[in-house]
């Protein structure tokens, strides 16, 4: 279940970000023309994009909370605490992905270049997130990539919510193999929030 959850996060990263990286390079010329003509200002455009990302993330997070979470068989008690935590984490994660895709799409010269950039970023992140391979097997030369990594904090939050308190075997995997600090869920949320803040800056 841990690997299924991890690859679910990877799938979310790819499928949610790709539309942004395809659309934004095509829209850039139109947006710049309208900006020069005084149709809107840069802060207004950014706020509109952020608002749209927040609405999309909230809806997508709601779908995963009531579809993926129970289908995989994660514990639903205490209710509604587990669902609220999962939705909050998914909302932060998906908002980060959408705004990161927006930034890549605006910076890339074309949609093809933007999609290539996704792979160049996602592959190192996946390999250093600390799930597959686990934290215990990461080499010191690459372990630093574990920290500025959306997948790391998404995995820490998602797997801690899903498996903490389930059984001793699950706790042992989280604590010994993945090197999660099970009492630091709030700190993991804070780290993901900082990642989103950095993306917005």
């Amino acid at each position: 279940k841990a690997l299924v959850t991890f690859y679910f996060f990877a799938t979310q990263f790819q499928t949610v970000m790709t539309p942004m990286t395809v659309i934004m390079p095509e829209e850039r010329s139109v947006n710049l023309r309208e900006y020069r003509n005084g149709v809107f200002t840069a802060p207004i455009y950014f706020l509109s994009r952020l608002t749209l990302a927040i609405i999309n993330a909230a809806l997508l997070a709601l779908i995963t909370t009531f579809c993926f979470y129970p289908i995989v068989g994660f514990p639903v008690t205490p209710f509604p605490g587990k669902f609220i935590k999962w939705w909050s984490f998914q909302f932060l994660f998906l908002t980060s992905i959408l705004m990161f895709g927006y930034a890549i799409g605006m910076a890339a010269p074309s949609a093809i270049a933007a999609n290539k950039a996704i792979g160049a970023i996602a592959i190192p992140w996946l390999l250093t997130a600390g799930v597959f391979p686990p934290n215990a097997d990461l080499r010191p030369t690459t372990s630093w990539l574990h920290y500025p990594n959306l997948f790391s904090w998404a995995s820490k939050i998602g797997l801690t919510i899903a498996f903490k308190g389930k059984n001793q075997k699950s706790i042992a995997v989280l604590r010994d193999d993945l090197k999660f600090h099970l009492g630091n869920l709030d700190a993991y949320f804070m780290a993901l929030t900082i990642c989103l803040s950095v993306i917005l800056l």
Side-chain angles (χ1 to χ4, degrees), residues 77-149:
T77 55
F79 183 85
K82 287 276 188 181
F83 285 100
I84 292 173
K85 288 179 181 178
W86 182 270
W87 179 88
S88 301
F89 137 66
Q90 278 282 285
F91 172 71
L92 283 172
F93 182 54
L94 292 169
T95 303
S96 300
I97 294 172
L98 286 164
M99 295 308 295
F100 194 37
Y102 161 76
I104 292 175
M106 288 298 287
S110 67
I112 295 176
N115 282 324
K116 288 180 179 178
I118 293 177
I121 295 168
I123 292 173
W125 272 3
L126 286 169
L127 294 176
T128 58
V131 177
F132 187 74
N135 262 326
D137 296 335
L138 288 180
R139 297 188 177 187
T141 53
T142 58
S143 60
W144 64 272
L145 288 170
H146 176 77
Y147 298 100
N149 187 333

Side-chain angles (χ1 to χ4, degrees), residues 11-183:
T11 303
Q12 282 185 311
F13 184 85
Q14 184 72 32
T15 56
V16 172
M17 184 180 287
T18 298
M20 295 295 291
T21 57
V22 170
I23 292 170
M24 295 314 302
E26 302 299 324
E27 285 188 357
R28 183 169 51 227
S29 59
V30 177
N31 293 336
L32 289 173
R33 185 185 66 225
E34 292 181 348
Y35 170 74
R36 294 189 186 102
N37 291 336
V39 177
F40 53 75
T41 61
I44 294 298
Y45 178 77
F46 174 78
L47 288 174
S48 66
R49 274 291 173 186
L50 178 59
T51 302
L52 185 61
I54 288 172
I55 294 171
N56 286 338
L59 293 175
L60 289 171
L62 198 62
I63 292 170
T64 66
T65 299
F66 290 102
C67 292
F68 175 80
Y69 190 91
I71 287 174
V72 176
F74 291 147
V76 296
T77 55
F79 183 85
K82 287 276 188 181
F83 285 100
I84 292 173
K85 288 179 181 178
W86 182 270
W87 179 88
S88 301
F89 137 66
Q90 278 282 285
F91 172 71
L92 283 172
F93 182 54
L94 292 169
T95 303
S96 300
I97 294 172
L98 286 164
M99 295 308 295
F100 194 37
Y102 161 76
I104 292 175
M106 288 298 287
S110 67
I112 295 176
N115 282 324
K116 288 180 179 178
I118 293 177
I121 295 168
I123 292 173
W125 272 3
L126 286 169
L127 294 176
T128 58
V131 177
F132 187 74
N135 262 326
D137 296 335
L138 288 180
R139 297 188 177 187
T141 53
T142 58
S143 60
W144 64 272
L145 288 170
H146 176 77
Y147 298 100
N149 187 333
L150 284 176
F151 290 125
S152 296
W153 305 113
S155 301
K156 287 177 186 291
I157 297 171
L159 296 178
T160 300
I161 292 171
F163 292 104
K164 184 180 179 182
K166 190 173 183 182
N167 55 54
Q168 290 302 315
K169 183 179 179 181
S170 299
I171 293 174
V173 170
L174 293 178
R175 185 184 60 241
D176 301 331
D177 294 336
L178 302 183
K179 303 296 183 184
F180 287 4
H181 300 284
L182 300 181

